[in-house]
């Protein structure tokens, strides 16, 4: 059985990725922090489609919680390891920098950037030892282009792209690939408060993307066919200039 861990998989992009990787034959580990009902719904949909999955609650910004969760998982799966990690968990706390509070800055970086570091470091050793692994980091258009009101979010996502490129070089010889995906405007809970009608005018394709379209790219990067692709930040944004 091949295992894939998706952080922040209870809804939105994470949910779409979990459903797609389950369809691809992975046993998916659905991480969530607090929304157990949504996570259970994701798991139910995985199982109804004939896939395998389990829940793994922890806060990605808490290294001790990560350690406890993964220790328990490994004790229950002594002969297995997690070969695919999708670092999807992230939050937004938008504000102009002149008004931005310390908590708004720190919480966004703690979740997106520190979360990537804590959990990736924890799983890397097994991937390298088995000489097989896929690390896929969910970045953002905001991390490439920068968006006003998102200095915290843009900083976290841009740093994630830089870390992706550096780590890819560290582990390539061990056949572990590390890539980032930078979605543009995707129709999820995170973008529902945006003015879609106005923003669509900026997008050459004239629409927001679908979570399933991002999940398809994750599926490819997690596959054997993508074994020579590493250190890349791939945009999926309908042609929006970056």
């Amino acid at each position: 059985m091949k295992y894939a861990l998706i952080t922040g998989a209870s809804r939105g992009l994470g949910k779409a990725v979990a459903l797609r990787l389950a369809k691809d034959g992975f046993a998916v580990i659905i991480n969530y922090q607090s929304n157990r009902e949504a996570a259970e719904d994701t798991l139910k949909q995985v199982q109804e489609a004939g896939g395998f999955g389990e829940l793994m609650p922890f806060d990605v910004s808490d290294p001790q919680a990560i350690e406890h969760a993964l220790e328990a998982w490994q004790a229950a799966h002594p002969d297995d390891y997690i070969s695919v990690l999708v670092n999807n968990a992230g939050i937004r706390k938008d504000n102009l920098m002149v008004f931005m509070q310390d908590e708004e800055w720190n919480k966004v970086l703690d979740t997106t950037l520190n979360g990537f570091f804590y959990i990736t470091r924890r799983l890397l050793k097994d991937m390298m030892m088995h000489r097989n692994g896929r690390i896929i980091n969910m970045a953002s258009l905001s991390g490439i282009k920068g968006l006003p009101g998102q200095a915290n979010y843009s900083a976290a996502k841009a740093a994630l792209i830089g870390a992706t490129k550096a780590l890819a070089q560290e582990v390539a010889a061990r056949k572990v690939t590390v890539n980032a995906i930078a979605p543009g405007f995707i129709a999820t809970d995170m973008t529902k408060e945006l003015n879609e009608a106005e923003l669509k005018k900026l997008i050459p394709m004239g629409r927001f993307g679908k979570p399933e379209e991002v999940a398809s790219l994750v599926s490819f990067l997690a596959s054997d066919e993508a074994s020579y692709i590493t250190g890349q930040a791939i945009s999926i944004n309908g042609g929006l200039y970056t």
Side-chain angles (χ1 to χ4, degrees), residues 1-5 27-30 53-58 65-84 122-123 126 130:
M1 185 70 71
K2 299 180 297 180
Y3 288 88
L5 169 59
V28 293
I29 304 168
I30 299 162
E54 56 190 291
L55 302 181
M56 186 184 285
F58 60 79
I66 291 170
E67 184 64 29
H68 292 156
L70 290 174
E71 276 186 356
W73 186 87
Q74 288 177 328
H77 302 80
D79 298 321
D80 299 311
Y81 79 107
I82 295 168
S83 62
V84 173
R122 179 62 175 74
L123 295 179
D126 277 345
H130 286 87

Side-chain angles (χ1 to χ4, degrees), residues 13 88-95 97 100 104-109 111-113 138-144 146-161 181-185 188 190-191:
L13 286 180
N88 170 73
I91 60 170
R92 281 176 42 211
K93 288 185 176 293
D94 295 356
N95 207 345
M97 182 175 277
M100 188 172 288
E104 292 174 321
W105 176 269
N106 291 329
K107 187 63 177 175
V108 169
L109 267 72
T111 301
T112 295
L113 187 58
M138 203 63 70
S140 171
L141 166 72
S142 186
I144 296 176
L147 293 174
Q150 289 192 343
N152 50 1
Y153 191 72
S154 293
K157 295 297 189 179
L160 187 60
I161 291 171
I181 295 174
F185 294 108
T188 66
M190 189 174 277
T191 60

Side-chain angles (χ1 to χ4, degrees), residues 116 120 124 128 133-137 160-180 226-233:
F116 149 80
T120 303
L124 260 181
M128 294 173 70
R134 298 284 186 269
I135 298 167
I136 302 164
N137 301 318
L160 187 60
I161 291 171
T164 296
K165 292 177 178 294
L167 180 59
Q169 296 174 65
E170 294 179 9
V171 299
R174 291 285 181 167
K175 299 183 180 179
V176 177
T177 67
V178 189
N179 291 289
S227 61
Y228 200 57
I229 300 173
T230 196
Q232 303 305 305

